Amino acid sequence: MSVHPVDEKLPALKMATTGLQHVAAMYAGVVAPPLIVGAAIGLSPADLTFLTGACLFTAGLATFLQTLGIWRIGARLPFVNGVTFAGVAPMTAVVASTDDKSDALPVVFGAVIVAGLLGFLAAPFFSKAIRFFPPVVTGTVITLIGVSLLPVAFGWAQGPDPTAGDYGSTTNLGLAAATLLIVLLLRRFTPGFVKQVAVLLGLVAGTVVAIPFGATDFGPVTDAAVVGFPTPFHFGAPQFQVAAIVSMCVVMVVSMTESTADMLALGEIVERPADERTIAAGLRADTLGSALSPLFNGFMCSAFAQNIGLVAMTRIRSRYVVATGGAFLVLMGLCPMAASLIAVVPRPVLGGAGVVLFGSVAASGIQTLVKAGLEKDNNVLVVAVSLAVGIIPITAPEFYHAFPETARIVLDSGISTGCVAAVALNLVFNHLGRGRDAQEVTHPMEAVPAQPIS
């Protein structure tokens, strides 16, 4: 009996090298969220290294759940799991609303645990309700994720400290621009594996370029231990605040929507179509991984779309290859020195790479919207209004200043408000009542042609 390529076990050397390739393709995406949240809190280099290592460790555990699976948990497809970008904006909103910053991470962790457990219970029902999350909704939300994170990259490009004299200096902006240029050149003129890890190589090259300018600090590496373990509840016991929980539950819905779309796409690529049962099992892995992650000081986990592209490009479809990548993630999480390497990268260099990283997220959302049927005026209105609602916190940060502080945790997250708006508007325009098949128009302001009287 022949073995399906998804269940094929490759030779050890090929398993290791291709597994490392998956890690390289998603590494920058895993370490970016703890960097953003850690910087917002003002963590010390040692704590930032610890948080980064914890996220690598929990990403590895979540990848094991997804690829190897236990019971009805895990899609058993070549899925890499890691920290989802969707949670970054709500988490930074929680940080901003917390007076004592030492309580910020416990509040975030408590919210992630509750959202993960609720998502686990909802997984089988969500797999049936996916028709309410068509491309017009998912594309809008993914676009908002990228757009919401771009200001973070612009802030990094200016420097680590807004009060410093060199904040926004030509040196810092020059380092960001140089890093961006290196990444673009690598993406344009290099083949295969090098092209896939262009962001990672850009970070390395940008850090080297920054050394003569005195912008690189190797202290975090020299101070880090070779071996360590992400001690449970290192930053304190979880705290449970209603507003934060609501915000992270919205993120969980977004994450489950993205993962479902990714499972459907990956199932086609590996020629093992994802049915309702597979989707439910995959969502259980995502949500259980997310619920367990805060125990080891990690964040919400979700599937990484960039690794799906890697599977499509290499045609290596074995889930054991990705599981091997998960093992490397766990090992990196157990080696603080490896995790500390990212702390060496100057903030302007991260900013230059972040433009590509976060911009790519927005671009993938636009790609999804292309499939959303925007020739219909109903869908155009759903996207237009949802994007407008989601962009409010970015363009007018004080827009909700008169609302209670607890409500602002949700309202100040453009991803959360944009997602709610997109789901609600899609229901109103495309599911409720008659006339769901709206007239096709070429412009949202163009009048709908009058219908002939029958």
Side-chain angles (χ1 to χ4, degrees):
M1 181 177 174
S2 61
V3 177
H4 193 283
V6 169
D7 299 316
E8 185 181 4
K9 295 181 180 179
L10 306 180
L13 180 59
K14 189 171 185 179
M15 194 94 78
T17 54
T18 50
L20 273 174
Q21 182 171 248
H22 275 283
V23 173
M26 55 91 75
Y27 182 83
V30 172
V31 300
L35 282 174
I36 298 170
V37 177
I41 296 172
L43 293 181
S44 66
D47 277 342
L48 189 59
T49 295
F50 183 93
L51 186 63
T52 303
C55 287
L56 290 167
F57 179 77
T58 54
L61 296 182
T63 299
F64 285 152
L65 272 178
Q66 195 65 269
T67 54
L68 302 180
I70 53 172
W71 185 57
R72 296 180 180 177
I73 301 170
R76 291 171 175 82
L77 291 171
F79 249 158
V80 174
N81 272 42
V83 182
T84 175
F85 273 111
V88 173
M91 287 191 292
T92 53
V94 170
V95 172
S97 65
T98 306
D99 294 329
D100 186 352
K101 299 306 179 189
S102 63
D103 289 333
L105 282 175
V107 170
V108 168
F109 291 151
V112 172
I113 289 173
V114 174
L117 292 176
L118 291 176
F120 183 84
L121 295 175
F125 306 102
F126 192 90
S127 63
K128 298 178 186 297
I130 194 60
R131 66 191 181 92
F132 296 113
F133 297 88
V136 70
V137 173
T138 56
T140 300
V141 174
I142 296 170
T143 302
L144 279 172
I145 292 170
V147 172
S148 297
L149 292 175
L150 278 172
V152 174
F154 302 148
W156 282 351
Q158 296 178 81
D161 184 5
T163 62
D166 65 345
Y167 188 74
S169 65
T170 54
T171 298
N172 286 345
L173 296 182
L175 288 173
T179 304
L180 174 59
L181 180 61
I182 291 169
V183 173
L184 293 176
L185 290 174
L186 288 172
R187 289 289 299 176
R188 175 63 182 86
F189 295 108
T190 58
F193 177 67
V194 175
K195 184 175 183 177
Q196 285 294 321
V197 297
V199 172
L200 189 62
L201 294 177
L203 290 173
V204 173
T207 301
V208 172
V209 172
I211 292 176
F213 297 95
T216 306
D217 178 18
F218 290 96
V221 176
T222 57
D223 295 338
V226 176
V227 179
F229 184 80
T231 313
F233 305 129
H234 174 81
F235 296 99
Q239 298 180 25
F240 303 96
Q241 294 185 4
V242 174
I245 290 171
V246 170
S247 182
M248 294 312 295
C249 283
V250 172
V251 174
M252 179 56 73
V253 172
V254 175
S255 176
M256 292 170 75
T257 303
E258 289 183 62
S259 289
T260 300
D262 289 341
M263 276 184 268
L264 292 171
L266 184 60
E268 294 299 322
I269 290 171
V270 300
E271 298 177 355
R272 180 181 279 181
D275 56 17
E276 186 177 303
R277 184 172 179 176
T278 300
I279 291 172
L283 293 177
R284 288 193 189 99
D286 269 5
T287 53
L288 181 60
S290 295
L292 295 176
S293 186
L295 304 182
F296 300 100
N297 313 282
F299 298 141
M300 188 178 290
C301 294
S302 181
F304 267 52
Q306 56 264 48
N307 290 82
I308 296 175
L310 191 58
V311 172
M313 183 191 71
T314 62
R315 301 301 298 166
I316 297 175
R317 295 176 277 180
S318 171
R319 59 191 173 103
Y320 295 103
V321 164
V322 175
T324 302
F328 282 120
L329 287 170
V330 169
L331 291 175
M332 292 171 71
L334 296 175
C335 179
M337 184 173 288
S340 70
L341 289 174
I342 195 65
V344 173
V345 181
R347 204 61 62 82
V349 172
L350 280 172
V355 170
V356 176
L357 194 63
F358 304 152
S360 296
V361 176
S364 67
I366 294 170
Q367 287 178 325
T368 303
L369 285 175
V370 170
K371 308 171 187 176
L374 293 185
E375 72 279 359
K376 295 181 179 179
D377 63 332
N378 280 359
N379 285 344
V380 171
L381 289 172
V382 171
V383 175
V385 176
S386 301
L387 285 178
V389 170
I391 291 173
I392 287 174
I394 303 172
T395 56
E398 297 301 316
F399 189 83
Y400 299 111
H401 74 278
F403 285 74
E405 197 67 34
T406 51
R408 291 192 62 179
I409 292 179
V410 177
L411 295 174
D412 284 343
S413 167
I415 297 169
S416 300
T417 55
C419 176
V420 171
V423 172
L425 289 171
N426 179 62
L427 283 172
V428 171
F429 281 95
N430 294 326
H431 288 276
L432 300 179
R434 297 182 178 181
R436 288 176 292 180
D437 295 324
Q439 293 291 328
E440 296 185 1
V441 296
T442 57
H443 190 279
M445 300 304 294
E446 178 184 317
V448 178
Q451 296 295 308
I453 299 174
S454 56

